[in-house]
Amino acid sequence: MGRKSVLAFFILLFIATSCLHSQEDTDTRRKAANAIDSQRFAEALQILTPFLKTHPTDVSAWTLQGLALNGLGKTKESLLSFDHALVIDKAYLPALEAASQTAYLHGDPSAMKYVKSLLATSPDNEIANAMAGALAYQSHDCKSANEYFEHSQKAVYQSPTAISEFADCQLKSEKKQEALATLSHGIQLHPHSGQLKYNLAIVQMQLHDFNGAIATLAPLSDAKDSELLNLLASAYAHANRPDDAFSMLEKAIQIDPAKESNYLDLAILCLDHSQENRAVTAASAGLVTIPRSASLYLIRGVAYAQLAQYDKAEHDFTAATELEPNQPHSTIAMSLLYSDKNDPQKEKELLEKQLRATPNDAVANYLLADLLIRSGAMPGQAEYDKAQNHLAKSLEAKPDSAEAQVLMGKLLEQQHDFSGALKHIQLALAIEPENRAALNREFILLRKLHRDQEANEALSRLRSLVNQEIQREVNIGQVRINSQSH
């Protein structure tokens, strides 16, 4: 709500109540109001200062003075003047309107206090509800923001920013269809708003309407906006249009060559389509501009590993580790590389070094536990106990890892703790109901525990899973044969 709309509201109310005052007092207030309306704020203060000395309880004059002070950029003094008016009459609408707007527009901490006072007097005030929604959004209170924005009716749609805030809170509240409707209506009212179209595409992507996101963003593809082009590329990739995705990411890089995510997304897209050499080129181009990017070294290392250029992959993983020594990602990638190269000693040294830096990392603890068991550690040996301790740490940090649950089940089974092992196997199946390894172990453990009926049920589930897998393989084979016959 602009200053002039508040002033117009005030003047209308002032005229309606002018019969309560003497003609001389009315003329003084009118002159001050007209001066403010013409942005002659200093002149308005010259009129009001002597008037308030003789009329110290005149609520309308204090409100006018607040408007004049706000016009001169004196926000604190302006709010003090409105406060003075509200001490005289706490329900005086012009003062509440003006104080709410002034505090809101200037980001004053007292803004919500004024807005709530205004809503207590005028609960259906659409602009006050819109301001309250925006303030609640700024305080990360989406529940309240949604309620205020809903009560604001048409007022929230006056501003693309308010519309975006409303839609964002709807998304965070899992109201995706409502967010879609909010943004679609907002675009009808603000058809040239790139912000609203970008946000609409975000919602469409979350709803898996990738073609809808393309339709929203493609007309804006000439914009010099790398984030928009990156989002459009993601929509193209999900819609199985990789060539268009490549084009948008390359264009995004030209527009913003210092943005790391564009190079990363291009390299990942290349890897997804088995274009490892192109991924190396994309990551290398990024490293020219951003030479200290651990992520670009990491993704290039992955590409080199897939090309079986292991020395280059190891070099890049090492570089990534040196740039971000406390991040386990590069260590994990190199661990898998050493595993592929059948070099368990280097893999072990690497994981142990990483765990000295990040002792509670779930993946590094799991990989080391798995490595120790694969290396032949048996119950009763120190290395076996070490593996179990690392596995316990992994599960403490990430209990929803089916692989770690299965491995813990295997260790407990080797120690003849069949009940404990079954507990972990069934936790794995709760996470991944079709985990073949977990189904196998569940059947065997139930048999060892002489729980024959449950074992037969587990066997039935395992047979059903195997049948499904065979049927899928048959279907794939049929498609391939039909394709070749054409």
Side-chain angles (χ1 to χ4, degrees):
M1 188 177 189
R3 183 184 296 118
K4 288 185 72 65
S5 60
V6 171
L7 180 60
F9 174 82
F10 169 77
I11 291 173
L12 286 172
L13 187 63
F14 166 71
I15 291 171
T17 58
S18 61
C19 60
L20 302 176
H21 305 283
S22 70
Q23 186 61 46
E24 182 181 354
D25 292 350
T26 299
D27 289 344
T28 301
R29 295 187 197 88
R30 193 185 301 277
K31 288 178 182 177
N34 288 335
I36 294 170
D37 194 30
S38 301
Q39 299 189 19
R40 303 193 311 274
F41 304 116
E43 180 183 328
L45 288 178
Q46 289 175 351
I47 296 169
L48 291 165
T49 300
F51 182 81
L52 281 168
K53 286 182 180 179
T54 56
H55 300 75
T57 59
D58 191 304
V59 66
S60 58
W62 283 108
T63 304
L64 279 170
Q65 179 178 265
L67 289 169
L69 288 165
N70 184 44
L72 291 171
K74 298 181 178 181
T75 305
K76 289 185 179 179
E77 294 89 334
S78 170
L79 292 174
L80 288 172
S81 192
F82 296 137
D83 285 340
H84 209 121
L86 293 169
V87 168
I88 299 166
D89 182 356
K90 66 179 182 180
Y92 188 58
L93 276 175
L96 285 169
E97 289 260 13
S100 297
Q101 177 195 247
T102 300
Y104 173 76
L105 291 177
H106 292 284
D108 191 276
S110 61
M112 186 58 101
K113 178 192 75 173
Y114 290 118
V115 172
K116 284 186 174 180
S117 296
L118 175 56
L119 287 171
T121 302
S122 180
D124 295 326
N125 186 308
E126 293 184 5
I127 292 172
N129 275 291
M131 288 192 292
L135 291 167
Y137 178 82
Q138 291 167 18
S139 299
H140 310 288
D141 181 3
C142 271
K143 183 177 183 295
S144 297
N146 282 333
E147 292 173 1
Y148 285 127
F149 281 135
E150 285 166 7
H151 282 102
S152 71
Q153 302 294 329
K154 296 178 182 178
V156 68
Y157 289 102
Q158 293 179 11
S159 162
T161 298
I163 296 167
S164 296
E165 290 172 347
F166 189 15
D168 188 33
C169 270
Q170 288 172 318
L171 273 183
K172 289 173 179 173
S173 304
E174 296 300 320
K175 297 179 178 180
K176 295 180 182 180
Q177 291 295 341
E178 290 91 334
L180 184 73
T182 295
L183 289 163
S184 297
H185 184 53
I187 289 171
Q188 290 176 359
L189 298 172
H190 306 275
H192 302 297
S193 173
Q195 176 191 20
L196 292 179
K197 290 176 182 176
Y198 179 90
N199 291 332
L200 176 62
I202 291 285
V203 177
Q204 290 169 320
M205 293 286 287
Q206 291 196 19
L207 289 168
H208 306 289
D209 181 10
F210 307 120
N211 288 322
I214 291 168
T216 299
L217 294 178
L220 305 176
S221 60
D222 289 332
K224 302 296 183 182
D225 184 339
S226 71
E227 286 188 8
L228 185 148
L229 294 173
N230 190 295
L231 182 61
L232 178 55
S234 179
Y236 279 133
H238 282 93
N240 198 28
R241 293 172 58 177
D243 290 340
D244 290 320
F246 283 127
S247 176
M248 288 302 106
L249 286 171
E250 288 166 352
K251 191 172 180 181
I253 288 171
Q254 291 176 355
I255 291 170
D256 192 353
K259 195 170 184 66
E260 179 189 59
S261 61
N262 291 326
Y263 298 101
L264 286 172
D265 290 343
L266 179 56
I268 290 167
L269 183 66
C270 293
L271 290 176
D272 286 343
H273 291 83
S274 302
Q275 297 188 32
E276 288 83 5
N277 285 313
R278 194 172 179 182
V280 168
T281 300
S284 298
L287 285 165
V288 171
T289 308
I290 316 165
R292 296 190 59 78
S293 170
S295 297
L296 286 171
Y297 274 112
L298 179 60
I299 200 68
R300 191 174 71 175
V302 171
Y304 278 136
Q306 290 186 201
L307 288 167
Q309 297 181 25
Y310 296 119
D311 290 343
K312 290 181 178 180
E314 184 172 346
H315 170 272
D316 279 0
F317 292 149
T318 301
T321 302
E322 289 173 353
L323 287 167
E324 291 184 352
N326 293 325
Q327 295 299 322
H329 314 300
S330 304
T331 298
I332 290 164
M334 201 182 302
S335 166
L336 297 174
L337 177 65
Y338 286 146
S339 180
D340 286 344
K341 293 172 69 175
N342 196 26
D343 193 342
Q345 187 56 37
K346 276 193 174 182
E347 185 181 359
K348 180 182 177 185
E349 291 170 0
L350 185 72
L351 290 167
E352 287 177 337
K353 180 181 178 182
Q354 181 62 54
L355 286 169
R356 286 194 289 273
T358 57
N360 298 315
D361 182 75
V363 178
N365 272 297
Y366 167 76
L367 289 174
L368 182 54
D370 182 60
L371 172 64
L372 293 171
I373 297 303
R374 283 190 288 108
S375 298
M378 299 298 293
Q381 297 177 350
E383 291 289 87
Y384 191 91
D385 293 339
K386 185 178 177 181
Q388 192 160 349
N389 287 335
H390 283 294
L391 193 54
K393 280 189 177 182
S394 176
L395 285 170
E396 184 178 354
K398 188 174 173 56
D400 61 345
S401 168
E403 292 84 357
Q405 294 287 2
V406 169
L407 183 57
M408 182 62 85
K410 176 182 176 182
L411 298 192
L412 292 173
E413 184 180 357
Q414 288 177 343
Q415 299 169 62
H416 304 287
D417 180 2
F418 302 137
S419 295
L422 181 62
K423 177 183 175 182
H424 284 281
I425 294 300
Q426 291 180 334
L427 283 170
L429 287 169
I431 300 162
E432 292 181 8
E434 295 188 354
N435 187 304
R436 173 90 77 84
L439 281 169
N440 284 333
R441 300 321 304 167
E442 183 188 36
F443 168 69
I444 291 169
L445 287 165
L446 286 167
R447 292 284 293 173
K448 287 182 177 179
L449 289 167
H450 306 292
R451 291 160 60 172
D452 295 340
Q453 183 175 346
E454 292 174 79
N456 288 335
E457 292 170 359
L459 181 59
S460 177
R461 290 195 298 273
L462 183 58
R463 283 174 177 164
S464 176
L465 176 63
V466 171
N467 286 338
Q468 289 173 18
E469 291 177 355
I470 291 171
Q471 188 62 45
R472 279 197 293 266
E473 289 176 5
V474 168
N475 289 339
I476 291 169
Q478 288 173 342
V479 170
R480 188 160 50 239
I481 292 167
N482 290 339
S483 175
Q484 288 172 347
S485 68
H486 283 53

